[in-house]
Amino acid sequence: MSNQPYEGYGEGYDPYAQQQPQQAQAQAWPGHQQQAYDDAQADQQYTQQWQGQTWDTQVQQTRPAASDLAYFPPQNYQAEPQSYDPYAQAQPPRPDVPEAQTPAPSAGDGYGPPSLAGNARITDAQRARLEGRSPIIEPGMQPAGLTAVLALLLSVTAQVGSYALVVPLVILQAVTAAGWFRLNGMWPARQGIALAFAGALVADVALLAAGRENGPAAILGTLGVWVLLSLVMQLRSHADPDTRITGLMATVASAALAIVAAGHLAADPDAVTVGAAAVAVAILARALPLPTVASVVVSLLAAAGAGIAVGGATGMGAKGALLGAGAGVCALIGHRVASYDYPSRFVHFTAGVALPLAVAAPAVYVLGRALG
């Protein structure tokens, strides 16, 4: 094999010098001019770079001819933008687990599909708050009609006797206890509702036993005992402090409203008849599609007119107008409370029905005793 240098390169250049170690090269090519190569390397101080075509056919990349590309139609691929996630490659591969099929929401349920990030089912009050609607949603004509029916029952049974009056009164107290808890967003609250309703029953029994003349003592005594019972019940709870405080306030308020509603049983029968009739007319007038200010004025005038009409039939005369107006004001306050903070339909048919009559009970008792 000739030791002539390659054309275009200096003497002592060996194309195999970069592929083999120097010691192996000296043994493989004993006749090679090693001294000339070392002198050239010392002079240049840098290894020459191979700039021609490589001899290694394994790593040589063949490029297709232009005629081969003619068989492939041009493709216009547009890469979709992808967000860079530095932790995407660091996560271990998950086993092939079939994904759960998400049920499609029905057309009329009003809820979105469930998600793993949280509960997508929101209440009507939360949806109204997100949409920026007014927190005041009035019960409407149907709850007002139920309130009028219950008020008329109280008005009629008051003339029959105390035991007849107890029947619609117990219904009023039960709906009051349940509606107040639901109005405060606490449902189900069976223990609190049962405790408040039990306090109302005890107040009714105490009034029947002690008589109307001892009505304030029976009502206030029962209320004091039930506040202590509510406190003890919340102290025995294992909930967090904020939840216990909220439950205590709701239980005390519900028990107080249900027990105070017993004032219809402690008041004079004629006052109950006039006051209940005035509440019925005032709530029906308030449900009419009128502006708020005009609706309130019409309701109070209707309550006073009902007081005069029913008062003339019971012997109270013109004094019934004052009693009717007072009962109407209290009924509108209860109606307003039941309309606050995006109430649901269940609230309208419980608290919206009972609160106007429950709140009017103290006014019926006080004005009835004052007007004689």
Side-chain angles (χ1 to χ4, degrees):
M1 186 173 180
S2 176
N3 293 331
Q4 295 297 327
Y6 286 85
E7 296 180 0
Y9 299 94
E11 183 179 357
Y13 178 80
D14 188 358
Y16 297 97
Q18 297 180 358
Q19 300 179 4
Q20 298 179 356
Q22 296 180 4
Q23 296 179 359
Q25 180 183 4
Q27 296 177 2
W29 305 92
H32 190 71
Q33 298 178 3
Q34 182 69 26
Q35 184 66 30
Y37 177 78
D38 294 338
D39 294 341
Q41 186 179 12
D43 294 338
Q44 296 178 2
Q45 296 182 358
Y46 295 99
T47 304
Q48 294 181 355
Q49 302 292 331
W50 182 262
Q51 299 180 357
Q53 295 182 357
T54 179
W55 287 17
D56 191 356
T57 59
Q58 295 180 358
V59 298
Q60 183 176 1
Q61 298 180 357
T62 59
R63 304 176 65 179
S67 60
D68 297 337
L69 297 177
Y71 292 97
F72 298 93
Q75 302 290 337
N76 296 326
Y77 294 103
Q78 296 182 358
E80 297 181 357
Q82 297 181 357
S83 60
Y84 174 71
D85 189 1
Y87 300 98
Q89 299 179 357
Q91 297 178 355
R94 296 185 299 178
D96 294 334
V97 179
E99 297 182 356
Q101 297 293 334
T102 301
S106 59
D109 56 1
Y111 297 121
S115 62
L116 299 177
N119 186 9
R121 301 177 182 271
I122 61 175
T123 61
D124 295 338
Q126 293 173 341
R127 183 180 294 107
R129 186 178 292 108
L130 292 175
E131 294 176 357
R133 288 185 283 169
S134 174
I136 303 298
I137 302 177
E138 297 180 357
M141 184 57 70
Q142 292 181 353
L146 294 177
T147 302
V149 171
L150 189 57
L152 292 178
L153 290 176
L154 291 173
S155 180
V156 173
T157 55
Q159 298 296 321
V160 177
S162 297
Y163 291 97
L165 180 61
V166 168
V167 176
L169 180 61
V170 169
I171 298 175
L172 171 64
Q173 292 168 333
V175 178
T176 301
W180 183 260
F181 275 94
R182 190 63 184 92
L183 181 62
N184 287 268
M186 304 178 64
W187 188 267
R190 299 180 182 90
Q191 294 181 355
I193 294 174
L195 184 63
F197 182 59
L201 294 180
V202 171
D204 295 341
V205 172
L207 281 170
L208 292 176
R212 286 191 175 91
E213 60 277 2
N214 297 320
I219 292 176
L220 294 177
T222 305
L223 182 59
V225 172
W226 248 251
V227 169
L228 294 177
L229 289 178
S230 301
L231 181 61
V232 171
M233 186 184 73
Q234 293 301 325
L235 290 176
R236 292 172 57 87
S237 175
H238 298 286
D240 57 279
D242 293 338
T243 303
R244 284 188 288 178
I245 291 297
T246 304
L248 175 62
M249 298 303 296
T251 304
V252 170
S254 179
L257 288 172
I259 292 173
V260 166
H264 291 291
L265 189 60
D268 184 76
D270 293 339
V272 174
T273 300
V274 174
V279 170
V281 175
I283 295 301
L284 288 175
R286 185 67 179 85
L288 295 176
L290 297 174
T292 302
V293 177
S295 177
V296 171
V297 173
V298 171
S299 299
L300 294 179
L301 293 177
I308 294 176
V310 179
T314 58
M316 292 191 66
K319 296 180 181 179
L322 182 59
L323 178 59
V329 170
C330 294
L332 294 181
I333 293 174
H335 181 271
R336 182 72 171 184
V337 172
S339 306
Y340 184 69
D341 198 16
Y342 309 99
S344 63
R345 186 174 180 84
F346 186 86
V347 174
H348 286 164
F349 281 92
T350 53
V353 172
L355 283 184
L357 284 169
V359 175
V364 171
Y365 176 81
V366 173
L367 291 178
R369 293 290 300 269
L371 298 175

